[in-house]
Amino acid sequence: QRCRLVGESPIASHRRLQYYCASSHRCFHSHSTDRPTPIKHRMESGSDRPAFAHADAFKLTQPPHPGWRPRGESALQYPYGDEPMPTEKNTKTFIASTTDGSTRYKLLIGGVAPRPIAFVSTLSEDGVPNLAPFSYFNVISHDPPALMFSVNRPSKQAASGGSGKDTARNALATKEFVVNIISEWFLEAANYCSVDAPPDADEFALSGLHPFPSQIVKPARVAESAYSMECKLLHHYPLQNAAGDTTHDVIIGEILAWHVRQEVIDERCYIDYSKYKPVSRLGGVMYGRLLEGVELPRPVWAKEQDNTN
């Protein structure tokens, strides 16, 4: 049996998940028969835009310049006319120390894109669940398996030395959290969890998403997510601005276990992006989809030397 969550994206009501535990190096499975319920909230969008193409899926294409060769004269297809080299006329330069904060923010989130999103679930010391997305996020190591995300402190909290947002405060207090990856089929619900709700609000309940028990840590993972990572706090770095105010809490976590839907992973542990459908953050309030990819082998210097001799 199948049910639908947010439009036409189906989610199986009988869930079979594959896990890998970093501490025991074992794969195992779990089942859940919790059936997701429809999300009541609908975000307004421009009616003149094309409808979301649910059937579009990830595919591989040829690289943009199949004839390119190292040390050759192969012309790249530069999209900005006949002047590929930067000049004062065709380039804007922003010096951080003289650029206002709003512009710095727009340059970062618009230019560093697409960015993966950490959908972080935590528990307060009083046991209140919290769920929020952060796009200052990435993996940093596979040995030990580790990731990082950064949580900004609102300007008033930063200036007054406040303790920051619920996610950072909970992670620092309990030293545990779960990073879930957002896929297309629950994007609206995940976005709603960015609401500036009070600390006692439960974003699982507000968004209609479902908590699912973790194997090692206390915070729940998101049942709708096809890929989740249980983590313990490895390091915390309070990032300060020129005025000495802590503006971001940089959280580094060690991954203790992965939970991956078996539909999106094969027997060799490769991810099928056509089924995974991860979303990313772009500038403004935009999100991105993963619809095309190219494969380029990593060059080996010994072979490259042989080819040029």
Side-chain angles (χ1 to χ4, degrees), residues 116-132:
I117 306 168
F119 198 26
V120 184
S121 58
T122 58
L123 275 178
S124 72
E125 291 184 289
D126 296 328
V128 178
N130 182 266
L131 184 61

Side-chain angles (χ1 to χ4, degrees), residues 11-17 30-32 34 36 223-225 261:
I11 296 178
S13 58
H14 183 79
R15 310 176 66 83
R16 185 170 186 265
L17 297 95
S30 179
H31 299 264
S32 167
D34 291 341
E224 286 79 2
S225 178
R261 279 294 297 257

